[in-house]
Amino acid sequence: ARGFAFIELCRKRYDVIVMNPPFGALSIGSKDYIFGNYPATKMDLAAVFVERMLSLSHTKGMVGSISTRSIFFRGTFKKWREQDLFESRFLSSFCDLGSGVLDAMVETAAYLISNTLSLNLTRAYRLTKFENKEKELKDLLQKNVDPNIYDVQLTKLKAITNYPFAYWVDEKS
């Protein structure tokens, strides 16, 4: 009965999934499985988890995560960003937190990815330079305009090689 319940749980689709996935290099035991099943994200566990959770969410579902921010910038994740952020899904909000958030030596980001495409802008908040990130984020959420708030059209970022989520680049650059 437990085995069937587990199988049924794996078949479910969810409206919202929130997570803090593991990140970094793969274990030797998982490498073959991940390389075979997650070719676009295979180089970092955080990206693998995001890809998997997106596949478990409903058509109109959302995945929220706090993870390493490197998956939004490194060239090895170009294909994932192209397919999951620029073409088939929508990065609705992005909070660039930088370091000092988790107990690990990693720069982080908190973000929401929707399974529904949208023509709206992605709103990005830059908190990398602030010590008290919680206070600064609360302040930014009360504002519409601030040097640390960016409204980004993802389609315009496709002009940049490897599709980094360079939210701070303006159209004039």
Side-chain angles (χ1 to χ4, degrees):
R2 285 184 181 168
F4 286 115
F6 180 72
I7 291 170
E8 185 61 31
L9 181 66
C10 291
R11 290 183 180 165
K12 284 189 173 186
R13 296 291 174 253
Y14 300 90
D15 295 327
V16 176
I17 298 171
V18 180
M19 66 175 169
N20 173 257
F23 54 87
L26 311 175
S27 68
I28 293 170
S30 68
K31 206 170 208 170
D32 288 341
Y33 174 80
I34 290 174
F35 270 58
N37 290 287
Y38 301 97
T41 57
K42 65 187 176 194
M43 299 309 291
D44 192 296
L45 277 173
V48 170
F49 269 71
V50 171
E51 182 179 356
R52 176 67 176 136
M53 292 307 107
L54 286 166
S55 74
L56 289 176
S57 61
H58 278 294
T59 308
K60 295 182 180 179
M62 294 190 83
V63 172
S65 183
I66 182 169
S67 72
T68 175
R69 70 192 283 274
S70 65
I71 62 177
F72 290 91
F73 304 104
R74 287 181 37 210
T76 51
F77 297 103
K78 174 192 177 201
K79 186 172 180 144
W80 172 72
R81 285 190 298 272
E82 181 181 18
Q83 71 188 29
D84 278 348
L85 300 183
F86 294 160
E87 290 182 3
S88 62
R89 295 186 172 94
F90 177 65
L91 180 65
S92 59
S93 61
F94 182 85
C95 187
D96 196 355
L97 299 168
S99 60
V101 175
L102 300 177
D103 290 335
M105 295 296 292
V106 64
E107 291 188 331
T108 58
Y111 46 91
L112 289 171
I113 302 173
S114 171
N115 268 335
T116 305
L117 281 176
S118 173
L119 298 176
N120 296 327
L121 301 174
T122 296
R123 177 146 284 190
Y125 302 93
R126 182 178 237 166
L127 298 168
T128 54
K129 297 176 184 170
F130 297 108
E131 190 69 31
N132 188 341
K133 295 173 192 308
E134 180 181 359
K135 177 194 173 301
E136 292 300 328
L137 179 59
K138 285 179 181 177
D139 289 347
L140 287 177
L141 290 172
Q142 300 300 316
K143 300 175 183 178
N144 230 3
V145 177
D146 188 277
N148 293 300
I149 298 174
Y150 302 82
D151 289 321
V152 184
Q153 286 185 327
L154 293 177
T155 54
K156 293 188 178 182
L157 294 179
K158 283 181 153 185
I160 304 171
T161 304
N162 288 332
Y163 302 158
F165 182 60
Y167 61 87
W168 59 87
V169 175
D170 62 19
E171 291 184 37
K172 297 170 190 140
S173 299

